[in-house]
C-alpha cells in the first residue's frame, strides 16, 4: 500500500515536472514566435497577382528602358517614358519576360511623334524562347532619318489579349548615351562606398541652405555625408534598372531604379525603394552633371516594431507622398506610406493594409512599379474609408490600364469595394498633376475631380457624370487650397465678361457679371475668398502682334457666401499686370500706359506692390504627420497618434477579407478638342513632369532651375536648357528663312505650321534663354522700341549679333550685358523659330 502510494506520488511528480517542462517549452516557443514573427511579418492584399509581360530593350550592349504593358491604346501619351538609341544596322534587340504567358505574336509600328506620319508596320516571325524569356529583334527598315525621334509601338499577342508597349527610338551616330548610362550607374554604386565616393565630390555644389537633415531627398547641393547615406549602413540590394528618359546626342536624362536594405537596431532588415534622376551634358573632355536628385522611400511592411508610443514609424521617406487623415471621433486614422493605404484603429490596436500593389510572390519589377498614387478622400467614425488610386494599375482587375479607380473600404464587412474605374490615356504624372488641384468627395456622395482640362462631378450612387466646366487653361480658373471652392471664366482668357463660382460643399453655382465695357479675370483664392480683377475691354497690352496681358484697373476680394466685396484695390492710372498669391499676401506687378502711344495698347512696368490680407491661413501640410532626427537615419517621419501603444502583444495587422467589383462601373471622360493652334506645353525637370501651361514663358521658367526641357503635347522638344554652348550661330538656308519671315509677319501666338516651322511666343524670356535657339541654328526675332525687329544671328562670350532682315549681309554687334538690359527694357519681346523637317 505504501509502495503503491510512493509510486503514485512519483508518477504525479513526474507528471508535474513534465507538464512544467512542456509549459516552459510552450511559453518559450510563443515568446520566440512572438519576437521572430514580429520581425518577419508581412501581409499582402488578396488582389489578383500581376500577369502582364515586361519588355527590356538593348542598347550599347546592356539592357535598359523596362517597358510595362498597356491594355489600352495610349497613342503618343507614353512617349515621354523612355528613348531607345538604335544600333547602326537599326536592329533593336528585345528581351520579354513572359511571366507564365505564352507569347504567340510580336509586331511593331513606327510613326512620327505626333502620329500624323506612318513609317512602318512589321510582324516579327523569328523569336526564340529561353528560361521564361522571349528574345526578338526588330528589323527596323531604312525609312527613318538619323537624329530624328520616332514613336515605336510594340504589340505582343498572348492568344488571350494584345498588349501595347511604347518607347521613342533614335537612330544616331552619337555614342554619348553609352557614356551617360555608365556614368549614372557608377555614380550610384560609388555612393555605397565611402572611399570610392570621394571621386564624386567634384560634382557636388554643397549649399548650407539645402536641407541636410533628410535622406529622403538628396541633391547636388547636399553634403557628402548625405550623398553617402550617412550612418545608415545602407547596402545596394538589387540590380540597378536603367532608363534613358531623354537624349539628343549631347544632353541626356537618366533614371535609375533599385532597392536598398539596412539592419536596424532590432536586427530587422528594412527595405527601401530608391530612384535617381541625372541630367547630363557631354563636353569636349568630360561629362557635366547638371542636376541630380535621389529619392528614397522605406517600404512600410507593418512590422509590430513600427508601432511604438504615440507613433507609427514610416522611416526615411519623401514627405510629398505622405497623407494622414483622422475620423472626427479620433478613433481611426488612415495614412499612406510609399503608395500604400493603411487604416489604424486606436481603440482596438488593429492596423489594416487596405490597399497595396505589392505582392508576396512577384519579383517586384511589376508589383513595385511606382507610377501610381493614392488619395484619401474621407474616413468615417466607424472606420470606413473612401479613396482613389490613380495612374498605372500594376495588378488586379485593371492591370495594364492608366486611369482613376474609386474605392470604398467597409470596416464592418472588412471589404474593399470598387465603385468605378475611369480610364485615362495620359501618363501617371499628368493624371496626378490635375488631381492635385481637385480630387474631393463632396456632400450627397458626389465626387469632384479635374482631368483633361475639365471639372466633372460623379454621382457615386448612380455613377452618372456631369461636366461642370471645360476648356480650363492656366489663368482662366482657380481652385481653393482645400478644394472646396472653384471659379472659372466664361469665354476666352482675355475676353471674359462673367465668372462662375462654385461652392462644392453646398453644390451651388453663381455668376459674377462684369460692368459694361469690362472684362473679368480669375486670379485665385485667399483660403475661401475669391480674388478677381476687372479690366477695360480696350486695354489689352499688345506686343509683337500678341496680347501680352490684360492689365486690370481694379482687384476685388469677395466672400464665398455673399460674393460681396471684402476688399477693393484700385489706384488712379495704375494697372495690375499680374497677381501672385502666396499665403496671406498678394504680390502685384504694376504697369502704366506709355504716354504718346496712340494705340493705347502699350505699357511699361513700374514698381511692385503687396496686398496683405488679414485672414488666418490654415497650415494643412502634413497634417497628422510628424518628424524627428535620429542618429543613424537623420530625419524620419511618423504618423501621430492620440493613444499610446504600450505593448504590441495585442496588435493585429491584416488585409481586407475580400475585394469586390460587383457594383463597379466604367466611366468615360467627355473629350474636347483643344482650340486650333493652341499649343499645350509640358515642362520636365529632374526626369519628372513639373508642370503644364499654354504660355511658353511659363513652361520654360517651370523647368529652368532644374536644367529641364519643354515639349509640346506630341512630344516634340521645344526647349532644352542643358543643350547650349557659350557661342552659336543660326544656320537656316534662305528658303527656310523666307518661310520664317513670312510667318513672322502674321504672327499672333505660338503655332506649328505645315511647312515645318514652329514659331514660339518667347515674350518675357531672357536673352540668355532665347539664345538656345540661335545655338541650335534657328533664328530669333527681337522687337525694338519702335515696333521693328532684328534677327539674332549669332553670339559668343562677349557679344550678340543682330541682323536687319532688310540688310541680312551686315551683322551688328551688341555687348551681352548691354543687349540683355536693352531687351529687358523693351519687355523681352522675342519670337523664337524652330524648324522641324517632316
Amino acid at each position: 500500500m505504501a509502495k503503491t502510494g510512493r509510486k503514485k506520488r512519483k508518477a504525479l511528480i513526474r507528471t508535474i515536472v513534465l507538464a512544467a517542462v512542456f509549459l516552459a517549452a510552450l511559453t518559450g516557443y510563443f515568446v520566440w514566435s512572438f519576437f521572430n514573427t514580429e520581425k518577419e511579418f508581412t501581409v499582402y492584399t488578396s488582389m489578383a497577382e500581376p500577369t502582364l509581360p515586361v519588355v527590356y530593350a538593348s542598347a550599347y550592349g546592356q539592357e535598359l528602358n523596362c517597358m510595362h504593358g498597356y491594355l489600352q491604346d495610349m497613342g503618343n501619351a507614353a512617349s515621354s517614358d523612355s528613348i531607345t538609341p538604335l544600333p547602326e544596322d537599326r536592329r533593336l534587340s528585345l528581351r520579354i519576360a513572359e511571366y507564365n504567358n505564352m507569347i504567340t505574336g510580336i509586331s511593331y509600328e513606327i510613326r512620327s511623334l505626333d502620329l500624323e506620319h506612318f513609317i512602318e508596320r512589321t510582324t516579327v516571325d523569328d523569336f526564340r524562347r529561353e528560361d521564361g524569356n522571349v528574345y526578338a529583334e526588330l528589323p527596323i527598315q531604312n525609312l527613318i532619318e538619323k537624329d530624328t525621334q520616332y514613336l515605336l509601338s510594340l504589340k505582343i499577342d498572348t492568344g488571350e489579349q494584345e498588349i501595347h508597349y511604347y518607347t521613342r527610338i533614335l537612330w544616331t551616330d552619337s555614342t554619348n548615351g553609352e557614356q551617360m548610362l555608365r556614368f549614372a550607374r557608377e555614380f550610384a554604386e560609388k555612393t555605397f562606398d565611402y572611399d570610392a565616393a570621394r571621386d564624386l565630390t567634384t560634382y557636388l555644389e554643397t549649399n548650407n541652405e539645402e536641407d541636410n537633415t533628410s535622406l529622403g531627398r538628396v541633391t547636388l547641393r547636399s553634403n557628402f555625408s548625405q550623398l553617402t547615406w550617412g550612418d545608415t549602413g545602407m547596402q545596394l540590394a538589387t540590380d540597378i534598372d536603367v532608363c534613358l528618359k531623354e537624349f539628343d546626342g549631347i544632353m541626356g536624362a537618366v533614371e535609375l531604379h533599385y532597392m536598398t536594405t539596412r539592419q536596424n537596431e532590432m536586427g530587422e532588415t528594412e527595405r527601401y525603394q530608391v530612384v535617381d534622376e541625372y541630367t547630363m551634358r557631354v563636353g569636349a573632355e568630360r561629362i557635366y552633371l547638371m542636376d541630380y536628385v535621389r529619392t528614397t522611400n522605406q517600404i512600410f511592411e507593418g512590422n509590430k516594431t513600427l508601432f511604438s508610443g504615440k507613433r507609427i514609424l514610416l522611416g526615411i521617406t519623401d514627405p510629398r507622398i505622405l497623407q494622414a487623415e483622422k475620423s472626427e471621433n479620433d478613433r481611426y486614422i488612415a495614412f499612406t506610406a510609399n503608395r500604400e493605404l493603411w487604416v489604424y484603429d486606436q481603440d482596438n490596436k488593429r492596423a489594416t493594409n487596405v490597399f497595396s500593389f505589392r505582392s508576396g510572390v512577384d519579383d517586384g519589377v511589376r508589383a513595385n512599379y511606382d507610377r501610381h498614387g493614392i488619395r484619401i478622400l474621407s474616413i468615417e467614425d466607424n472606420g470606413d474609408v473612401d479613396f482613389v488610386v490613380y495612374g498605372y494599375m500594376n495588378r488586379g482587375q485593371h492591370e495594364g490600364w492608366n486611369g482613376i479607380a474609386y474605392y470604398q473600404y467597409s470596416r464592418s464587412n472588412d471589404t474593399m469595394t470598387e465603385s468605378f474605374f475611369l480610364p485615362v490615356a495620359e501618363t501617371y504624372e499628368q493624371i496626378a498633376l490635375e488631381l492635385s488641384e481637385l480630387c474631393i468627395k463632396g456632400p450627397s456622395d458626389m465626387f469632384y475631380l479635374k482631368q483633361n482640362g475639365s471639372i466633372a462631378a460623379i454621382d457615386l450612387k448612380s455613377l452618372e457624370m456631369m461636366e461642370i466646366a471645360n476648356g480650363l487653361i492656366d489663368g482662366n480658373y482657380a481652385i481653393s487650397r482645400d478644394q472646396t471652392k472653384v471659379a472659372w471664366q466664361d469665354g476666352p482668357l482675355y475676353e471674359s465678361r462673367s465668372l462662375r463660382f462654385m461652392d462644392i460643399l453646398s453644390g451651388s453655382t453663381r455668376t459674377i457679371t462684369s460692368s459694361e465695357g469690362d472684362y473679368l479675370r480669375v486670379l485665385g483664392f485667399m483660403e475661401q475668398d475669391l480674388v478677381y480683377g476687372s479690366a477695360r475691354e480696350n486695354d489689352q497690352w499688345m506686343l509683337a502682334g500678341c496680347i501680352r496681358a490684360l492689365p486690370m484697373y481694379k482687384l476685388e476680394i469677395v466672400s464665398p457666401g455673399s460674393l460681396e466685396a471684402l476688399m477693393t484695390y484700385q489706384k488712379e492710372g495704375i494697372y495690375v499686370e499680374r497677381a501672385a498669391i502666396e499665403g496671406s499676401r498678394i504680390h502685384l506687378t504694376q504697369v502704366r500706359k506709355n504716354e504718346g502711344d496712340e494705340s493705347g495698347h502699350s505699357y511699361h512696368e513700374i514698381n511692385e506692390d503687396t496686398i496683405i490680407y488679414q485672414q488666418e491661413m490654415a497650415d494643412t501640410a502634413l497634417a497628422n504627420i510628424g518628424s524627428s532626427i535620429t542618429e543613424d537615419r537623420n530625419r524620419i517621419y511618423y504618423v501621430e497618434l492620440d493613444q499610446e501603444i504600450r505593448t504590441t502583444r495585442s496588435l493585429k495587422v491584416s488585409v481586407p477579407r475580400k475585394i469586390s467589383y460587383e457594383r463597379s462601373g466604367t466611366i468615360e471622360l467627355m473629350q474636347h478638342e483643344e482650340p486650333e493652334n493652341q499649343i499645350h506645353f509640358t515642362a520636365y525637370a529632374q526626369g519628372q513632369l513639373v508642370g503644364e501651361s499654354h504660355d511658353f514663358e511659363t513652361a520654360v521658367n517651370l523647368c529652368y532651375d532644374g536644367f529641364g526641357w519643354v515639349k509640346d503635347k506630341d512630344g516634340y522638344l521645344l526647349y532644352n536648357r542643358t543643350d547650349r554652348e557659350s557661342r552659336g550661330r543660326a544656320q537656316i538656308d534662305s528658303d527656310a528663312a523666307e518661310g520664317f519671315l513670312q510667318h513672322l509677319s502674321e504672327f499672333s501666338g505660338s503655332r506649328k505650321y505645315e511647312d515645318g516651322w514652329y514659331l514660339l511666343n518667347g515674350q518675357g524670356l531672357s536673352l540668355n534663354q532665347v539664345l538656345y535657339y540661335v545655338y541650335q541654328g534657328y533664328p530669333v526675332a527681337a522687337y525694338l522700341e519702335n515696333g521693328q525687329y532684328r534677327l539674332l544671328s549669332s553670339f559668343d562670350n562677349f557679344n550678340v549679333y543682330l541682323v536687319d532682315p532688310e540688310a541680312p549681309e551686315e551683322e551688328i554687334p551688341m555687348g551681352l550685358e548691354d543687349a540683355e538690359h536693352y531687351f529687358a527694357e523693351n519687355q523681352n519681346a522675342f519670337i523664337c523659330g524652330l524648324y522641324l523637317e517632316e
Side-chain angles (χ1 to χ4, degrees):
M1 187 82 174
K3 192 173 183 180
T4 302
R6 285 195 299 270
K7 286 183 178 179
K8 288 182 176 179
R9 284 195 298 273
K10 286 182 179 179
L12 180 60
I13 292 171
R14 188 183 307 113
T15 301
I16 293 173
V17 170
L18 289 174
V21 170
F22 174 76
L23 184 61
L26 189 62
T27 303
Y29 167 77
F30 281 118
V31 171
W32 176 90
S33 176
F34 172 79
F35 284 109
N36 283 275
T37 55
E38 197 174 87
K39 294 175 183 178
E40 299 175 1
F41 187 83
T42 303
V43 293
Y44 296 103
T45 179
S46 55
M47 184 183 299
E49 294 292 343
T51 62
L52 298 182
V54 172
V55 178
Y56 298 85
S58 291
Y60 312 121
Q62 62 179 296
E63 283 191 343
L64 74 162
N65 296 350
C66 176
M67 289 173 268
H68 294 257
Y70 293 93
L71 296 183
Q72 68 196 123
D73 184 357
M74 291 292 289
N76 59 6
S79 65
S80 62
D81 287 349
S82 66
I83 181 169
T84 304
L86 299 178
E88 180 58 33
D89 62 3
R90 302 177 308 284
R91 298 186 68 86
L92 177 59
S93 297
L94 303 176
R95 176 175 73 88
I96 307 169
E98 281 191 295
Y99 292 113
N100 298 320
N101 291 279
M102 179 58 69
I103 294 175
T104 59
I106 301 173
S107 63
Y108 66 91
E109 183 177 282
I110 298 175
R111 289 182 177 269
S112 59
L113 293 182
D114 59 9
L115 303 180
E116 293 182 1
H117 299 279
F118 171 76
I119 310 298
E120 174 187 354
R121 183 182 294 118
T122 301
T123 299
V124 179
D125 298 318
D126 185 18
F127 53 89
R128 62 185 177 87
R129 183 173 284 104
E130 181 180 329
D131 297 329
N133 296 294
V134 168
Y135 296 88
E137 281 191 348
L138 308 188
I140 296 172
Q141 301 176 35
N142 190 18
L143 299 174
I144 60 175
E145 299 290 334
K146 277 198 172 182
D147 299 313
T148 300
Q149 295 184 15
Y150 298 89
L151 178 65
L152 170 69
S153 174
L154 178 73
K155 296 180 182 179
I156 293 178
D157 193 345
T158 64
E160 299 179 353
Q161 55 192 355
E162 189 176 70
I163 312 164
H164 303 260
Y165 300 81
Y166 300 91
T167 183
R168 283 167 291 144
I169 55 173
L170 179 68
W171 186 29
T172 179
D173 294 328
S174 172
T175 59
N176 290 336
E178 181 177 10
Q179 297 180 54
M180 293 176 178
L181 296 177
R182 186 189 313 116
F183 175 91
R185 186 188 296 273
E186 291 178 353
F187 190 104
E189 291 171 345
K190 286 180 179 179
T191 64
F192 296 95
D193 185 326
Y194 192 86
D195 292 329
R198 295 185 187 278
D199 295 343
L200 307 179
T201 57
T202 184
Y203 302 104
L204 290 181
E205 301 171 1
T206 301
N207 188 323
N208 292 332
E209 296 181 1
E210 188 76 0
D211 180 10
N212 283 307
T213 66
S214 174
L215 292 169
R217 182 177 175 85
V218 174
T219 72
L220 288 181
R221 293 161 291 284
S222 302
N223 61 37
F224 185 70
S225 176
Q226 296 293 103
L227 183 68
T228 53
W229 302 97
D231 296 324
T232 60
M234 199 75 75
Q235 299 292 321
L236 182 62
T238 62
D239 292 335
I240 297 176
D241 286 333
V242 180
C243 179
L244 188 59
K245 300 278 288 187
E246 201 62 54
F247 179 62
D248 65 1
I250 300 297
M251 169 270 180
V254 177
E255 182 176 86
L256 305 183
H257 290 258
Y258 52 94
M259 300 283 290
T260 64
T261 58
R262 69 177 291 269
Q263 298 295 312
N264 64 20
E265 62 275 9
M266 303 288 292
E268 297 173 331
T269 298
E270 297 173 350
R271 298 190 299 152
Y272 297 82
Q273 279 187 284
V274 185
V275 179
D276 289 5
E277 303 285 359
Y278 301 81
T279 303
M280 293 170 277
R281 187 180 192 283
V282 176
E285 299 180 353
R286 68 181 181 92
I287 289 180
Y288 293 92
L289 183 58
M290 312 303 294
D291 202 25
Y292 162 79
V293 175
R294 182 182 74 205
T295 54
T296 303
N297 290 289
Q298 182 172 345
I299 296 177
F300 183 83
E301 302 189 74
N303 296 343
K304 291 185 176 182
T305 53
L306 299 175
F307 297 79
S308 176
K310 288 189 174 182
R311 299 176 176 181
I312 302 175
L313 302 178
L314 306 178
I316 299 171
T317 189
D318 183 350
R320 295 175 301 174
I321 64 173
L322 299 180
Q323 184 189 3
E325 302 291 340
K326 285 183 182 178
S327 59
E328 284 192 14
N329 62 6
D330 291 333
R331 174 175 175 176
Y332 297 97
I333 183 165
F335 64 94
T336 58
N338 202 359
R339 296 179 173 84
E340 295 185 358
L341 174 62
W342 291 74
V343 175
Y344 179 66
D345 181 347
Q346 298 196 78
D347 287 354
N348 291 337
K349 304 295 187 291
R350 178 181 175 185
T352 304
N353 187 356
V354 174
F355 188 92
S356 174
F357 277 141
R358 289 196 174 84
S359 164
V361 300
D362 187 69
D363 61 1
V365 172
R366 296 174 298 174
N368 283 333
Y369 188 46
D370 62 352
R371 292 297 186 265
H372 73 278
I374 297 175
R375 173 81 177 181
I376 303 167
L377 300 175
S378 66
I379 178 165
E380 304 299 330
D381 285 345
N382 61 0
D384 291 355
V385 182
D386 280 29
F387 63 99
V388 293
V389 179
Y390 54 90
Y392 183 85
M393 303 295 153
N394 299 7
R395 54 188 286 211
Q397 185 86 352
H398 307 293
E399 182 187 3
W401 286 78
N402 261 21
I404 303 167
Y406 193 107
Y407 293 101
Q408 296 175 311
Y409 170 66
S410 169
R411 185 72 174 176
S412 59
N413 297 327
D414 199 20
T415 300
M416 186 176 73
T417 302
E418 182 179 279
S419 297
F420 66 82
F421 180 71
L422 194 160
V424 182
E426 300 285 355
T427 66
Y428 154 67
E429 294 169 314
Q430 290 169 322
I431 296 173
L433 189 65
E434 291 198 271
L435 288 185
S436 68
E437 297 182 79
L438 184 63
C439 178
I440 187 173
K441 181 184 177 183
S444 304
D445 283 333
M446 295 296 292
F447 172 60
Y448 298 84
L449 76 160
K450 179 175 180 285
Q451 204 65 205
N452 290 349
S454 299
I455 292 175
I458 299 173
D459 188 325
L460 297 175
K461 296 176 181 177
S462 65
L463 298 188
E464 294 181 1
M465 184 176 70
M466 176 178 66
E467 188 175 74
I468 296 171
N470 62 65
L472 304 182
I473 63 174
D474 47 322
N476 76 350
Y477 74 98
I479 301 172
S480 64
R481 188 169 57 159
D482 67 358
Q483 302 190 2
T484 63
K485 307 292 185 295
V486 181
W488 66 96
Q489 299 177 195
D490 284 327
L493 178 62
Y494 296 126
E495 298 177 3
S496 176
R497 297 194 185 277
S498 62
L499 308 179
R500 306 291 295 278
F501 175 87
M502 181 175 186
D503 185 338
I504 287 177
L505 297 181
S506 66
S508 64
T509 300
R510 286 171 290 172
T511 301
I512 301 174
T513 305
S514 69
S515 301
E516 186 176 354
D518 282 1
Y519 291 138
L520 298 181
R521 292 289 315 279
V522 169
L523 300 176
F525 283 91
M526 304 288 291
E527 289 298 288
Q528 307 289 313
D529 300 334
L530 173 65
V531 184
Y532 72 93
S534 298
R536 300 182 181 92
E537 61 184 14
N538 294 321
D539 282 349
Q540 293 101 334
W541 186 352
M542 303 300 297
L543 194 62
C546 304
I547 300 178
R548 174 179 171 82
L550 181 62
M552 297 162 283
Y553 70 87
K554 180 175 67 174
L555 267 59
E556 290 188 85
I557 303 176
V558 298
S559 68
S562 62
L563 293 184
E564 293 181 356
L566 301 173
M567 178 182 290
T568 300
Y569 180 91
Q570 185 173 4
K571 293 183 178 181
E572 183 67 27
I574 294 179
Y575 299 80
V576 176
E577 178 196 359
R578 293 189 300 272
I581 300 175
E582 295 181 3
S584 60
R585 297 171 180 266
I586 309 177
H587 301 284
L588 308 178
T589 301
Q590 299 184 124
V591 297
R592 285 186 186 273
K593 285 191 174 184
N594 289 330
E595 296 181 4
D597 178 26
E598 296 181 359
S599 69
H601 294 315
S602 68
Y603 298 76
H604 63 276
E605 290 187 9
I606 50 176
N607 58 313
E608 295 186 349
D609 198 0
T610 300
I611 299 176
I612 300 177
Y613 192 53
Q614 300 300 328
Q615 184 186 57
E616 184 177 346
M617 300 296 173
D619 184 8
T620 57
L622 293 182
N624 305 311
I625 298 290
S627 68
S628 61
I629 304 294
T630 64
E631 291 185 6
D632 55 350
R633 290 173 291 170
N634 290 13
R635 185 174 299 280
I636 63 169
Y637 291 86
Y638 54 83
V639 179
E640 297 173 329
L641 303 178
D642 299 304
Q643 300 182 29
E644 186 174 0
I645 302 173
R646 299 181 182 277
T647 176
T648 57
R649 288 182 182 276
S650 61
L651 178 68
K652 296 180 181 180
V653 183
S654 64
V655 297
R657 184 171 53 88
K658 69 174 182 177
I659 302 174
S660 172
Y661 299 97
E662 294 177 2
R663 296 190 295 108
S664 179
T666 299
I667 300 176
E668 297 288 342
L669 283 172
M670 295 183 183
Q671 300 299 318
H672 299 279
E673 291 188 6
E674 288 195 346
E676 187 178 0
N677 299 324
Q678 180 174 279
I679 309 297
H680 188 107
F681 301 107
T682 55
Y684 297 83
Q686 299 167 348
Q688 306 295 324
L689 176 70
V690 293
E692 298 180 326
S693 178
H694 290 80
D695 178 67
F696 188 59
E697 177 198 1
T698 299
V700 170
N701 289 324
L702 279 170
C703 69
Y704 191 76
D705 290 341
F707 291 89
W709 54 95
V710 175
K711 295 184 174 183
D712 67 4
K713 196 71 170 178
D714 291 325
Y716 286 108
L717 185 66
L718 305 180
Y719 177 81
N720 184 350
R721 181 184 176 183
T722 304
D723 191 5
R724 206 207 88 182
E725 292 277 8
S726 58
R727 59 179 64 239
R729 173 175 290 276
Q731 297 176 339
I732 296 294
D733 62 62
S734 57
D735 291 339
E738 184 177 342
F740 172 77
L741 295 177
Q742 179 172 342
H743 296 316
L744 200 62
S745 65
E746 56 190 21
F747 186 76
S748 60
S750 297
R751 181 178 174 184
K752 181 181 178 183
Y753 295 89
E754 293 183 359
D755 61 0
W757 273 107
Y758 219 135
L759 266 63
L760 299 165
N761 184 357
Q763 292 181 17
L765 295 178
S766 68
L767 174 64
N768 187 53
Q769 289 172 322
V770 301
L771 287 179
Y772 161 80
Y773 296 95
V774 180
Y775 174 74
Q776 297 295 328
Y778 304 120
V780 172
Y783 281 78
L784 313 180
E785 70 271 16
N786 56 9
Q788 296 181 335
Y789 67 87
R790 296 291 182 268
L791 299 179
L792 306 183
S793 61
S794 63
F795 67 96
D796 54 33
N797 287 323
F798 307 102
N799 296 300
V800 61
Y801 296 87
L802 283 63
V803 169
D804 184 340
E806 300 296 329
E809 66 283 351
E810 181 182 358
E811 287 190 322
I812 304 169
M814 182 181 289
L816 281 176
E817 290 187 8
D818 292 339
E820 187 170 358
H821 177 75
Y822 174 77
F823 291 123
E825 286 289 315
N826 286 280
Q827 310 303 324
N828 284 328
F830 299 113
I831 297 177
C832 308
L834 199 64
Y835 191 65
L836 304 176
E837 297 185 51
E838 298 292 346

